[in-house]
Amino acid sequence: MALITCAGLSLGYEGREIIKDLNFTVSGGDYLCIVGENGSGKTTLMKTVLGLIPPMAGSVVMGDGLKAGEIGYLPQQTQVQRDFPASVREIVLSGCQSRQKGFFYKADDRALADRNIERMGIKDLRDRCYRELSGGQQQRVLLARALCAAGKMIVLDEPVAGLDPRVTAEMYRLIEDLNKKDGITVMMISHDIGAALRYASHILHIGRRVFFGTKEDYMSSVIGREFISQGGEDR
């Protein structure tokens, strides 16, 4: 059963439409990569799916018991966020806010945060100040935070942006393990078409042209072949 169904979706901002009549689904266990040229509306689409901004038309329907508060989200970071003066554990624990029914974290919230800290291999950073960490370490912290909110699904907006090749490979491996070993559904924006084709089960290409389907069908499609041959630039 589909976790998310987007039907007839039109998106934009300040009254300007940038995506029209978009249709796709995300099912349990999928690894969906969203690709396309800059300015095509990938982040706007992601925020709409998460319920952070309304669509101009169409609908986003969640199924199989999924709720918006049960989707872990790792957005692109701003410089202010990178300099946030809190400990690693405090940052990760804040991912439990959607689970709270009161003002204070409960013992099971703290236990979940500690499990995800260990899961991301950052136990030794638990008491460190977040802003003192490297970019790769910060992304692991934010992924652990997203997992505290994730019941069935995580949504990632360019999770390897600005990371060196070694750290990028480590992040992709962590995300792949969450999908394949833990069964967490992944929806990820990526400018790295090579990584998208390596890890994704499905591709959503948006821009002047639109494609949604399996990775294999995308690779054999006209839009996919052209995009791949141009190194991820839609012309």
Side-chain angles (χ1 to χ4, degrees):
M1 183 177 180
L3 292 178
I4 293 176
T5 301
C6 294
L9 209 57
S10 293
L11 309 174
Y13 49 87
E14 297 179 352
R16 185 173 71 91
E17 188 177 68
I18 55 175
I19 300 175
K20 184 176 181 179
D21 196 27
L22 182 64
N23 301 277
F24 70 95
T25 60
V26 184
S27 298
D30 283 356
Y31 191 139
L32 173 67
C33 275
I34 304 172
V35 301
E37 68 269 27
N38 290 336
S40 59
K42 297 184 291 294
T43 297
T44 300
L45 170 61
M46 185 168 281
K47 289 181 177 179
T48 302
V49 168
L50 290 166
L52 300 176
I53 58 176
M56 297 179 74
S59 62
V60 178
V61 178
M62 296 186 182
D64 199 20
L66 182 67
K67 299 177 182 177
E70 296 173 342
I71 301 175
Y73 179 37
L74 198 166
Q76 293 187 41
Q77 280 202 90
T78 65
Q79 187 58 50
V80 170
Q81 291 167 331
R82 291 189 182 96
D83 290 336
F84 197 70
S87 72
V88 166
R89 191 173 189 244
E90 288 171 332
I91 296 287
V92 176
L93 189 57
S94 68
C96 295
Q97 287 178 355
S98 63
R99 296 157 41 91
Q100 287 181 263
K101 294 182 180 180
F103 295 103
F104 303 101
Y105 294 113
K106 298 179 176 59
D108 58 345
D109 294 327
R110 295 186 178 87
L112 177 61
D114 288 339
R115 286 198 302 273
N116 286 323
I117 285 172
E118 189 161 0
R119 195 178 190 180
M120 291 297 102
I122 51 175
K123 188 176 180 179
D124 58 327
L125 305 177
R126 183 174 178 272
D127 298 318
R128 290 274 303 277
C129 182
Y130 177 77
R131 66 183 178 188
E132 296 173 355
L133 305 181
S134 68
Q137 290 170 332
Q138 287 189 345
Q139 286 300 85
R140 283 181 179 245
V141 172
L142 295 180
L143 188 51
R145 180 185 185 276
L147 289 172
C148 286
K152 301 177 181 178
M153 183 174 181
I154 55 173
V155 172
L156 314 169
D157 192 349
E158 289 288 349
V160 300
L163 303 182
D164 66 46
R166 180 185 61 81
V167 178
T168 292
E170 291 174 355
M171 280 296 295
Y172 279 137
R173 179 185 55 78
L174 287 170
I175 296 165
E176 183 182 34
D177 284 349
L178 292 173
N179 178 247
K180 290 187 174 179
K181 294 182 180 179
D182 298 340
I184 293 176
T185 303
V186 175
M187 180 176 174
M188 180 173 74
I189 292 175
S190 178
H191 282 100
D192 185 345
I193 188 63
L197 296 177
R198 177 176 180 182
Y199 297 107
S201 62
H202 293 74
I203 300 288
L204 173 62
H205 181 123
I206 59 177
R208 293 184 297 107
R209 299 168 295 173
V210 174
F211 174 94
F212 171 68
T214 66
K215 171 177 62 179
E216 292 75 18
D217 286 345
Y218 180 69
M219 293 172 69
S220 63
S221 70
V222 173
I223 183 175
R225 290 198 306 269
E226 290 182 2
F227 196 66
I228 295 164
S229 69
Q230 293 163 2
E233 295 182 7
D234 198 1
R235 300 172 183 170

